[in-house]
Amino acid sequence: MRHFLSLKDFTADDLWPVLNRAKDLKATRRRGHRLSTLSGCVFAMLFEKPSTRTRVSFEVGIKELGGDVVFLSAQEVGLGKREAVKDVARTLSRYVYGVIIRTFDQAHLVEFAEYSSVPVVNALTDMFHPCQALSDVFTIWERFPILEDVRVGFIGDGNNVLHSLMFASAIFGFSLRVFTPRNHRPSPVVMRDAEAIGVKNWGRKTISLVDSLEGLGALDVVYTDVWVSMGQESQHDRKIKDFKGFQLTSDVVKRLGSPLVMHCLPAHRGEEIADDVIDGPNSIVFDQAENRLHVQKALLEWLWG
Ligand code: CP
Ligand code: NVA
């Protein structure tokens, strides 16, 4: 039995079959074919934070593969509050084939998985967003078939989305140059682990932290995400000040050599990204959103196959 808690736990050999299957599933869906690979399988989705893309893409994906879902919000379960994490894990394991969890603390997710007798998928924690990063690799691969030649830049907050993208870089070999305010750099532990995986796989550090826009050099892809993540609302005013000068504007995109523009969404327009960039010709943000569906279907088949 496999859990999907962080990309760190997987190799390119593990994950390429998922990406290849996602490509097939995308084509199959366009031809209007329906599948039954998860027929009779009911999943629990336990979401303690809001979601549009993750919730809908998982629910639709599971149903398109013949399965079904039970959705549980924070009010229903109260993970670690109404009931101990391990008791929820052992209870849900008796009912469902797998549990897809969006929560705050990565440690809660890890504890849940420890006590669960069915696979557990990380649908975002404060620390990681592996489903997003794996789908983003697929989106980049659609445009650039040789991943190890791709230059990706990330501008913004050293957050969950960046952390998973760092492991994706180390696993798949694309270079990732990261430009954040000094006090919002990614976790040093993630940096150390991702660098070590990159060196092991590719004989080089795939990730670099830079101190200026110029340090990013010419890019194939520029990625940004919100400055204020879910759960950080009380830090809004301070973070807006800290991130002054980090907005992805059309001028910045031009200075980076007009790369493709990625954003996991939801976007805070006018904060980390300007309207004319997210709506502009280089933006592939809705391809990213669509690909969550195909990649997660492949992931589910792989975990439960
Ligand atoms: N990108 C992403 O995970 O979006 P949601 O928060 O809407 O699920
Ligand atoms: N960093 C964002 C990602 C949302 C998909 C957050 O955690 O709110």
Side-chain angles (χ1 to χ4, degrees):
M1 181 182 76
R2 273 187 284 232
H3 300 298
F4 190 72
L5 307 182
S6 169
L7 284 187
K8 175 176 178 267
D9 305 331
F10 302 99
T11 63
D13 285 347
D14 293 325
L15 298 173
W16 269 115
V18 180
L19 298 181
N20 282 312
R21 176 66 179 156
K23 190 176 174 187
D24 289 347
L25 287 170
K26 186 168 182 174
T28 302
R29 189 173 191 265
R30 294 233 157 124
R31 288 196 299 269
H33 296 171
R34 296 192 75 83
L35 297 166
S36 54
T37 44
L38 295 180
S39 173
C41 302
V42 180
F43 296 82
M45 295 181 54
L46 178 49
F47 275 44
E48 299 203 294
K49 295 180 180 181
S51 172
T52 302
R53 278 145 291 272
T54 309
R55 177 178 176 175
V56 177
S57 57
F58 267 115
E59 288 205 24
V60 170
I62 288 167
K63 288 176 183 180
E64 287 187 359
L65 296 176
D68 208 343
V69 297
V70 176
F71 185 84
L72 299 157
S73 70
Q75 284 73 31
E76 271 100 38
V77 176
L79 204 56
K81 295 186 197 90
R82 178 170 181 263
E83 195 170 0
V85 173
K86 58 185 174 186
D87 292 343
V88 182
R90 288 183 289 200
T91 302
L92 289 182
S93 295
R94 301 286 178 109
Y95 301 136
V96 295
Y97 269 71
V99 188
I100 298 158
I101 301 183
R102 170 168 286 200
T103 188
F104 293 86
D105 191 347
Q106 180 78 9
H108 270 174
L109 180 82
V110 171
E111 185 187 350
F112 192 106
E114 200 179 312
Y115 286 93
S116 171
S117 57
V118 297
V120 174
V121 173
N122 181 354
L124 181 146
T125 60
D126 292 347
M127 201 61 182
F128 296 119
H129 199 0
C131 296
Q132 181 71 52
L134 189 60
S135 302
D136 291 338
V137 171
F138 181 86
T139 303
I140 295 169
W141 178 52
E142 283 187 316
R143 306 287 178 139
F144 302 102
I146 314 288
L147 283 176
E148 56 266 41
D149 291 345
V150 182
R151 300 159 301 175
V152 179
F154 183 98
I155 303 182
D157 188 23
N159 65 14
N160 46 8
V161 167
L162 175 60
H163 289 156
S164 290
L165 206 56
M166 288 163 71
F167 284 126
S169 157
I171 294 166
F172 291 98
F174 59 85
S175 71
L176 180 62
R177 302 162 193 173
V178 177
F179 180 38
T180 70
R182 292 194 78 84
N183 54 341
H184 294 288
R185 284 188 159 169
S187 146
V189 177
V190 174
M191 185 72 194
R192 187 199 61 204
D193 291 350
E195 273 181 357
I197 294 171
V199 169
K200 185 165 153 263
N201 289 337
W202 303 97
R204 60 185 164 88
K205 290 180 181 173
T206 60
I207 304 154
S208 52
L209 303 183
V210 305
D211 280 324
S212 66
L213 202 58
E214 286 64 43
L216 291 171
L219 299 176
D220 302 302
V221 172
V222 63
Y223 199 122
T224 190
D225 181 23
V226 292
W227 297 335
V228 183
S229 284
M230 292 180 279
Q232 299 182 335
E233 290 74 14
S234 65
Q235 300 173 40
H236 180 268
D237 293 353
R238 186 175 59 76
K239 286 193 102 175
I240 297 297
K241 283 196 194 113
D242 290 352
F243 284 88
K244 196 167 183 299
F246 282 80
Q247 189 183 90
L248 195 55
T249 60
S250 51
D251 176 55
V252 169
V253 173
K254 211 180 289 166
R255 284 165 64 188
L256 297 171
S258 295
L260 296 177
V261 172
M262 295 179 70
H263 190 310
C264 59
L265 304 176
H268 295 168
R269 288 165 175 260
E271 291 186 8
E272 76 280 358
I273 192 161
D275 279 322
D276 61 344
V277 172
I278 192 166
D279 296 329
N282 292 20
S283 171
I284 55 170
V285 302
F286 297 106
D287 286 350
Q288 284 181 264
E290 176 187 332
N291 286 334
R292 298 288 304 277
L293 173 67
H294 312 301
V295 172
Q296 288 162 190
K297 282 164 85 172
L299 181 70
L300 290 164
E301 285 189 349
W302 179 66
L303 290 171
W304 280 272

mmCIF file of all heavy atoms in Angstrom, residues 24-59:
data_model
loop_
_atom_site.group_PDB
_atom_site.id
_atom_site.type_symbol
_atom_site.label_atom_id
_atom_site.label_comp_id
_atom_site.label_asym_id
_atom_site.label_seq_id
_atom_site.Cartn_x
_atom_site.Cartn_y
_atom_site.Cartn_z
ATOM 1 N N ASP A 24 -2.519 9.544 -21.579
ATOM 2 C CA ASP A 24 -3.538 8.652 -22.177
ATOM 3 C C ASP A 24 -4.935 9.030 -21.709
ATOM 4 O O ASP A 24 -5.879 9.070 -22.498
ATOM 5 C CB ASP A 24 -3.321 7.192 -21.734
ATOM 6 C CG ASP A 24 -2.093 6.591 -22.357
ATOM 7 O OD1 ASP A 24 -1.559 7.192 -23.306
ATOM 8 O OD2 ASP A 24 -1.659 5.521 -21.860
ATOM 9 N N LEU A 25 -5.048 9.285 -20.405
ATOM 10 C CA LEU A 25 -6.380 9.594 -19.855
ATOM 11 C C LEU A 25 -6.920 10.906 -20.422
ATOM 12 O O LEU A 25 -8.115 11.042 -20.660
ATOM 13 C CB LEU A 25 -6.313 9.681 -18.325
ATOM 14 C CG LEU A 25 -6.150 8.345 -17.590
ATOM 15 C CD1 LEU A 25 -5.839 8.583 -16.115
ATOM 16 C CD2 LEU A 25 -7.407 7.484 -17.727
ATOM 17 N N LYS A 26 -6.017 11.852 -20.660
ATOM 18 C CA LYS A 26 -6.446 13.136 -21.236
ATOM 19 C C LYS A 26 -6.999 12.901 -22.644
ATOM 20 O O LYS A 26 -8.067 13.424 -23.005
ATOM 21 C CB LYS A 26 -5.263 14.112 -21.248
ATOM 22 C CG LYS A 26 -5.602 15.521 -21.682
ATOM 23 C CD LYS A 26 -4.464 16.493 -21.404
ATOM 24 C CE LYS A 26 -4.866 17.913 -21.808
ATOM 25 N NZ LYS A 26 -3.870 18.926 -21.435
ATOM 26 N N ALA A 27 -6.271 12.086 -23.413
ATOM 27 C CA ALA A 27 -6.714 11.795 -24.790
ATOM 28 C C ALA A 27 -8.015 10.984 -24.770
ATOM 29 O O ALA A 27 -8.942 11.253 -25.555
ATOM 30 C CB ALA A 27 -5.610 11.030 -25.516
ATOM 31 N N THR A 28 -8.105 10.017 -23.868
ATOM 32 C CA THR A 28 -9.303 9.174 -23.771
ATOM 33 C C THR A 28 -10.532 10.023 -23.468
ATOM 34 O O THR A 28 -11.601 9.844 -24.053
ATOM 35 C CB THR A 28 -9.117 8.146 -22.611
ATOM 36 O OG1 THR A 28 -7.963 7.390 -22.886
ATOM 37 C CG2 THR A 28 -10.307 7.231 -22.476
ATOM 38 N N ARG A 29 -10.352 10.966 -22.552
ATOM 39 C CA ARG A 29 -11.483 11.821 -22.161
ATOM 40 C C ARG A 29 -11.923 12.699 -23.334
ATOM 41 O O ARG A 29 -13.110 12.925 -23.557
ATOM 42 C CB ARG A 29 -11.060 12.692 -20.982
ATOM 43 C CG ARG A 29 -12.217 13.457 -20.355
ATOM 44 C CD ARG A 29 -11.708 14.138 -19.102
ATOM 45 N NE ARG A 29 -12.784 14.669 -18.304
ATOM 46 C CZ ARG A 29 -13.210 15.931 -18.385
ATOM 47 N NH1 ARG A 29 -12.662 16.776 -19.224
ATOM 48 N NH2 ARG A 29 -14.191 16.339 -17.596
ATOM 49 N N ARG A 30 -10.943 13.189 -24.095
ATOM 50 C CA ARG A 30 -11.286 14.035 -25.255
ATOM 51 C C ARG A 30 -12.090 13.235 -26.280
ATOM 52 O O ARG A 30 -12.922 13.778 -26.986
ATOM 53 C CB ARG A 30 -10.010 14.585 -25.907
ATOM 54 C CG ARG A 30 -9.274 15.544 -24.973
ATOM 55 C CD ARG A 30 -8.976 16.873 -25.621
ATOM 56 N NE ARG A 30 -8.797 17.862 -24.557
ATOM 57 C CZ ARG A 30 -7.727 18.621 -24.389
ATOM 58 N NH1 ARG A 30 -6.741 18.548 -25.254
ATOM 59 N NH2 ARG A 30 -7.659 19.483 -23.403
ATOM 60 N N ARG A 31 -11.809 11.913 -26.342
ATOM 61 C CA ARG A 31 -12.567 11.070 -27.283
ATOM 62 C C ARG A 31 -13.912 10.673 -26.697
ATOM 63 O O ARG A 31 -14.685 9.975 -27.347
ATOM 64 C CB ARG A 31 -11.749 9.805 -27.613
ATOM 65 C CG ARG A 31 -10.532 10.065 -28.512
ATOM 66 C CD ARG A 31 -9.994 8.766 -29.115
ATOM 67 N NE ARG A 31 -9.551 7.827 -28.107
ATOM 68 C CZ ARG A 31 -8.296 7.760 -27.631
ATOM 69 N NH1 ARG A 31 -7.372 8.583 -28.097
ATOM 70 N NH2 ARG A 31 -7.978 6.874 -26.717
ATOM 71 N N GLY A 32 -14.159 11.082 -25.455
ATOM 72 C CA GLY A 32 -15.465 10.830 -24.837
ATOM 73 C C GLY A 32 -15.611 9.440 -24.253
ATOM 74 O O GLY A 32 -16.719 9.026 -23.906
ATOM 75 N N HIS A 33 -14.498 8.711 -24.128
ATOM 76 C CA HIS A 33 -14.595 7.356 -23.579
ATOM 77 C C HIS A 33 -14.685 7.398 -22.063
ATOM 78 O O HIS A 33 -14.030 8.194 -21.416
ATOM 79 C CB HIS A 33 -13.371 6.525 -23.991
ATOM 80 C CG HIS A 33 -13.292 6.316 -25.465
ATOM 81 N ND1 HIS A 33 -12.200 5.774 -26.077
ATOM 82 C CD2 HIS A 33 -14.170 6.602 -26.456
ATOM 83 C CE1 HIS A 33 -12.399 5.731 -27.388
ATOM 84 N NE2 HIS A 33 -13.596 6.229 -27.624
ATOM 85 N N ARG A 34 -15.478 6.518 -21.492
ATOM 86 C CA ARG A 34 -15.565 6.426 -20.031
ATOM 87 C C ARG A 34 -14.877 5.150 -19.563
ATOM 88 O O ARG A 34 -14.818 4.161 -20.290
ATOM 89 C CB ARG A 34 -17.028 6.448 -19.583
ATOM 90 C CG ARG A 34 -17.706 7.770 -19.914
ATOM 91 C CD ARG A 34 -19.035 7.911 -19.218
ATOM 92 N NE ARG A 34 -18.894 8.206 -17.795
ATOM 93 C CZ ARG A 34 -18.685 9.430 -17.311
ATOM 94 N NH1 ARG A 34 -18.593 10.451 -18.128
ATOM 95 N NH2 ARG A 34 -18.594 9.625 -16.019
ATOM 96 N N LEU A 35 -14.379 5.184 -18.358
ATOM 97 C CA LEU A 35 -13.618 4.053 -17.824
ATOM 98 C C LEU A 35 -14.239 3.570 -16.519
ATOM 99 O O LEU A 35 -15.070 4.261 -15.929
ATOM 100 C CB LEU A 35 -12.173 4.484 -17.565
ATOM 101 C CG LEU A 35 -11.393 4.916 -18.807
ATOM 102 C CD1 LEU A 35 -10.125 5.643 -18.430
ATOM 103 C CD2 LEU A 35 -11.071 3.710 -19.684
ATOM 104 N N SER A 36 -13.805 2.388 -16.084
ATOM 105 C CA SER A 36 -14.374 1.872 -14.827
ATOM 106 C C SER A 36 -13.282 1.307 -13.922
ATOM 107 O O SER A 36 -13.509 0.371 -13.170
ATOM 108 C CB SER A 36 -15.417 0.799 -15.142
ATOM 109 O OG SER A 36 -14.821 -0.186 -15.964
ATOM 110 N N THR A 37 -12.084 1.930 -13.998
ATOM 111 C CA THR A 37 -10.951 1.390 -13.235
ATOM 112 C C THR A 37 -11.128 1.528 -11.717
ATOM 113 O O THR A 37 -10.440 0.856 -10.956
ATOM 114 C CB THR A 37 -9.630 2.066 -13.666
ATOM 115 O OG1 THR A 37 -9.874 3.471 -13.778
ATOM 116 C CG2 THR A 37 -9.136 1.545 -14.996
ATOM 117 N N LEU A 38 -12.007 2.431 -11.272
ATOM 118 C CA LEU A 38 -12.250 2.556 -9.824
ATOM 119 C C LEU A 38 -13.696 2.160 -9.484
ATOM 120 O O LEU A 38 -14.258 2.616 -8.482
ATOM 121 C CB LEU A 38 -11.979 3.985 -9.347
ATOM 122 C CG LEU A 38 -10.543 4.496 -9.429
ATOM 123 C CD1 LEU A 38 -10.457 5.936 -8.905
ATOM 124 C CD2 LEU A 38 -9.587 3.614 -8.641
ATOM 125 N N SER A 39 -14.252 1.321 -10.334
ATOM 126 C CA SER A 39 -15.650 0.927 -10.137
ATOM 127 C C SER A 39 -15.864 0.320 -8.745
ATOM 128 O O SER A 39 -15.105 -0.548 -8.307
ATOM 129 C CB SER A 39 -16.009 -0.087 -11.233
ATOM 130 O OG SER A 39 -17.270 -0.587 -10.982
ATOM 131 N N GLY A 40 -16.868 0.795 -8.054
ATOM 132 C CA GLY A 40 -17.197 0.260 -6.729
ATOM 133 C C GLY A 40 -16.345 0.824 -5.596
ATOM 134 O O GLY A 40 -16.535 0.458 -4.442
ATOM 135 N N CYS A 41 -15.394 1.721 -5.917
ATOM 136 C CA CYS A 41 -14.511 2.264 -4.870
ATOM 137 C C CYS A 41 -15.060 3.595 -4.361
ATOM 138 O O CYS A 41 -15.270 4.528 -5.144
ATOM 139 C CB CYS A 41 -13.108 2.516 -5.413
ATOM 140 S SG CYS A 41 -12.329 1.042 -6.079
ATOM 141 N N VAL A 42 -15.267 3.683 -3.063
ATOM 142 C CA VAL A 42 -15.728 4.938 -2.465
ATOM 143 C C VAL A 42 -14.572 5.546 -1.658
ATOM 144 O O VAL A 42 -13.918 4.850 -0.878
ATOM 145 C CB VAL A 42 -16.967 4.716 -1.567
ATOM 146 C CG1 VAL A 42 -17.413 6.042 -0.954
ATOM 147 C CG2 VAL A 42 -18.102 4.083 -2.361
ATOM 148 N N PHE A 43 -14.323 6.819 -1.890
ATOM 149 C CA PHE A 43 -13.234 7.545 -1.230
ATOM 150 C C PHE A 43 -13.800 8.594 -0.288
ATOM 151 O O PHE A 43 -14.865 9.145 -0.554
ATOM 152 C CB PHE A 43 -12.364 8.255 -2.279
ATOM 153 C CG PHE A 43 -11.672 7.293 -3.203
ATOM 154 C CD1 PHE A 43 -12.335 6.754 -4.294
ATOM 155 C CD2 PHE A 43 -10.365 6.912 -2.954
ATOM 156 C CE1 PHE A 43 -11.706 5.853 -5.136
ATOM 157 C CE2 PHE A 43 -9.730 6.011 -3.797
ATOM 158 C CZ PHE A 43 -10.400 5.474 -4.884
ATOM 159 N N ALA A 44 -13.066 8.869 0.797
ATOM 160 C CA ALA A 44 -13.414 10.010 1.649
ATOM 161 C C ALA A 44 -12.509 11.175 1.280
ATOM 162 O O ALA A 44 -11.310 10.988 1.053
ATOM 163 C CB ALA A 44 -13.231 9.652 3.115
ATOM 164 N N MET A 45 -13.086 12.358 1.211
ATOM 165 C CA MET A 45 -12.303 13.576 1.013
ATOM 166 C C MET A 45 -12.507 14.437 2.246
ATOM 167 O O MET A 45 -13.622 14.883 2.509
ATOM 168 C CB MET A 45 -12.757 14.305 -0.243
ATOM 169 C CG MET A 45 -12.465 13.472 -1.487
ATOM 170 S SD MET A 45 -12.951 14.273 -3.013
ATOM 171 C CE MET A 45 -12.108 15.817 -2.887
ATOM 172 N N LEU A 46 -11.433 14.634 2.984
ATOM 173 C CA LEU A 46 -11.497 15.329 4.269
ATOM 174 C C LEU A 46 -10.777 16.654 4.097
ATOM 175 O O LEU A 46 -9.550 16.689 4.004
ATOM 176 C CB LEU A 46 -10.803 14.415 5.287
ATOM 177 C CG LEU A 46 -10.629 14.836 6.722
ATOM 178 C CD1 LEU A 46 -11.919 15.344 7.294
ATOM 179 C CD2 LEU A 46 -10.158 13.617 7.514
ATOM 180 N N PHE A 47 -11.537 17.746 3.988
ATOM 181 C CA PHE A 47 -10.961 19.047 3.634
ATOM 182 C C PHE A 47 -11.195 20.052 4.757
ATOM 183 O O PHE A 47 -12.329 20.449 5.015
ATOM 184 C CB PHE A 47 -11.577 19.566 2.319
ATOM 185 C CG PHE A 47 -10.897 19.031 1.080
ATOM 186 C CD1 PHE A 47 -10.545 17.697 0.973
ATOM 187 C CD2 PHE A 47 -10.617 19.877 0.003
ATOM 188 C CE1 PHE A 47 -9.914 17.201 -0.171
ATOM 189 C CE2 PHE A 47 -9.989 19.393 -1.143
ATOM 190 C CZ PHE A 47 -9.637 18.055 -1.230
ATOM 191 N N GLU A 48 -10.100 20.485 5.380
ATOM 192 C CA GLU A 48 -10.196 21.476 6.457
ATOM 193 C C GLU A 48 -9.936 22.903 5.969
ATOM 194 O O GLU A 48 -9.932 23.824 6.777
ATOM 195 C CB GLU A 48 -9.206 21.134 7.567
ATOM 196 C CG GLU A 48 -9.484 19.771 8.170
ATOM 197 C CD GLU A 48 -8.930 19.663 9.566
ATOM 198 O OE1 GLU A 48 -7.704 19.705 9.697
ATOM 199 O OE2 GLU A 48 -9.727 19.545 10.501
ATOM 200 N N LYS A 49 -9.652 23.055 4.679
ATOM 201 C CA LYS A 49 -9.475 24.385 4.094
ATOM 202 C C LYS A 49 -10.337 24.434 2.837
ATOM 203 O O LYS A 49 -10.659 23.378 2.280
ATOM 204 C CB LYS A 49 -8.017 24.613 3.669
ATOM 205 C CG LYS A 49 -7.003 24.643 4.785
ATOM 206 C CD LYS A 49 -5.594 24.880 4.206
ATOM 207 C CE LYS A 49 -4.537 24.910 5.279
ATOM 208 N NZ LYS A 49 -3.182 25.164 4.732
ATOM 209 N N PRO A 50 -10.664 25.644 2.356
ATOM 210 C CA PRO A 50 -11.475 25.730 1.130
ATOM 211 C C PRO A 50 -10.732 25.162 -0.082
ATOM 212 O O PRO A 50 -9.506 25.031 -0.059
ATOM 213 C CB PRO A 50 -11.690 27.237 0.936
ATOM 214 C CG PRO A 50 -11.198 27.905 2.160
ATOM 215 C CD PRO A 50 -10.301 26.960 2.886
ATOM 216 N N SER A 51 -11.488 24.849 -1.129
ATOM 217 C CA SER A 51 -10.879 24.338 -2.365
ATOM 218 C C SER A 51 -11.878 24.411 -3.511
ATOM 219 O O SER A 51 -13.056 24.130 -3.316
ATOM 220 C CB SER A 51 -10.465 22.877 -2.176
ATOM 221 O OG SER A 51 -10.055 22.317 -3.405
ATOM 222 N N THR A 52 -11.400 24.770 -4.672
ATOM 223 C CA THR A 52 -12.210 24.642 -5.895
ATOM 224 C C THR A 52 -11.615 23.551 -6.769
ATOM 225 O O THR A 52 -12.230 22.512 -7.015
ATOM 226 C CB THR A 52 -12.246 25.983 -6.663
ATOM 227 O OG1 THR A 52 -12.779 26.968 -5.799
ATOM 228 C CG2 THR A 52 -13.107 25.870 -7.924
ATOM 229 N N ARG A 53 -10.375 23.786 -7.240
ATOM 230 C CA ARG A 53 -9.748 22.869 -8.186
ATOM 231 C C ARG A 53 -9.540 21.468 -7.616
ATOM 232 O O ARG A 53 -9.900 20.471 -8.247
ATOM 233 C CB ARG A 53 -8.377 23.406 -8.635
ATOM 234 C CG ARG A 53 -8.444 24.438 -9.730
ATOM 235 C CD ARG A 53 -7.372 25.465 -9.531
ATOM 236 N NE ARG A 53 -7.713 26.241 -8.356
ATOM 237 C CZ ARG A 53 -8.485 27.334 -8.385
ATOM 238 N NH1 ARG A 53 -8.897 27.803 -9.525
ATOM 239 N NH2 ARG A 53 -8.814 27.986 -7.276
ATOM 240 N N THR A 54 -8.949 21.411 -6.431
ATOM 241 C CA THR A 54 -8.579 20.097 -5.887
ATOM 242 C C THR A 54 -9.829 19.276 -5.615
ATOM 243 O O THR A 54 -9.927 18.106 -5.974
ATOM 244 C CB THR A 54 -7.738 20.281 -4.609
ATOM 245 O OG1 THR A 54 -6.674 21.184 -4.917
ATOM 246 C CG2 THR A 54 -7.177 18.963 -4.132
ATOM 247 N N ARG A 55 -10.818 19.920 -4.987
ATOM 248 C CA ARG A 55 -12.039 19.188 -4.663
ATOM 249 C C ARG A 55 -12.746 18.710 -5.935
ATOM 250 O O ARG A 55 -13.084 17.537 -6.070
ATOM 251 C CB ARG A 55 -12.989 20.081 -3.847
ATOM 252 C CG ARG A 55 -14.276 19.343 -3.568
ATOM 253 C CD ARG A 55 -15.257 20.117 -2.738
ATOM 254 N NE ARG A 55 -16.483 19.314 -2.640
ATOM 255 C CZ ARG A 55 -17.519 19.626 -1.916
ATOM 256 N NH1 ARG A 55 -17.524 20.721 -1.195
ATOM 257 N NH2 ARG A 55 -18.595 18.848 -1.895
ATOM 258 N N VAL A 56 -12.946 19.635 -6.862
ATOM 259 C CA VAL A 56 -13.747 19.271 -8.041
ATOM 260 C C VAL A 56 -12.981 18.292 -8.928
ATOM 261 O O VAL A 56 -13.558 17.323 -9.433
ATOM 262 C CB VAL A 56 -14.186 20.531 -8.815
ATOM 263 C CG1 VAL A 56 -14.955 20.145 -10.071
ATOM 264 C CG2 VAL A 56 -15.053 21.421 -7.915
ATOM 265 N N SER A 57 -11.673 18.502 -9.089
ATOM 266 C CA SER A 57 -10.932 17.583 -9.972
ATOM 267 C C SER A 57 -10.875 16.180 -9.376
ATOM 268 O O SER A 57 -10.990 15.190 -10.114
ATOM 269 C CB SER A 57 -9.540 18.128 -10.298
ATOM 270 O OG SER A 57 -8.797 18.374 -9.128
ATOM 271 N N PHE A 58 -10.728 16.060 -8.076
ATOM 272 C CA PHE A 58 -10.759 14.715 -7.475
ATOM 273 C C PHE A 58 -12.156 14.097 -7.576
ATOM 274 O O PHE A 58 -12.297 12.930 -7.944
ATOM 275 C CB PHE A 58 -10.293 14.738 -6.014
ATOM 276 C CG PHE A 58 -8.822 14.454 -5.848
ATOM 277 C CD1 PHE A 58 -7.956 15.417 -5.368
ATOM 278 C CD2 PHE A 58 -8.294 13.211 -6.172
ATOM 279 C CE1 PHE A 58 -6.595 15.161 -5.217
ATOM 280 C CE2 PHE A 58 -6.933 12.928 -6.025
ATOM 281 C CZ PHE A 58 -6.090 13.916 -5.549
ATOM 282 N N GLU A 59 -13.179 14.884 -7.245
ATOM 283 C CA GLU A 59 -14.536 14.304 -7.265
ATOM 284 C C GLU A 59 -14.926 13.865 -8.673
ATOM 285 O O GLU A 59 -15.429 12.760 -8.878
ATOM 286 C CB GLU A 59 -15.566 15.314 -6.737
ATOM 287 C CG GLU A 59 -15.469 15.520 -5.239
ATOM 288 C CD GLU A 59 -16.783 15.993 -4.599
ATOM 289 O OE1 GLU A 59 -17.858 15.749 -5.174
ATOM 290 O OE2 GLU A 59 -16.718 16.582 -3.526
#
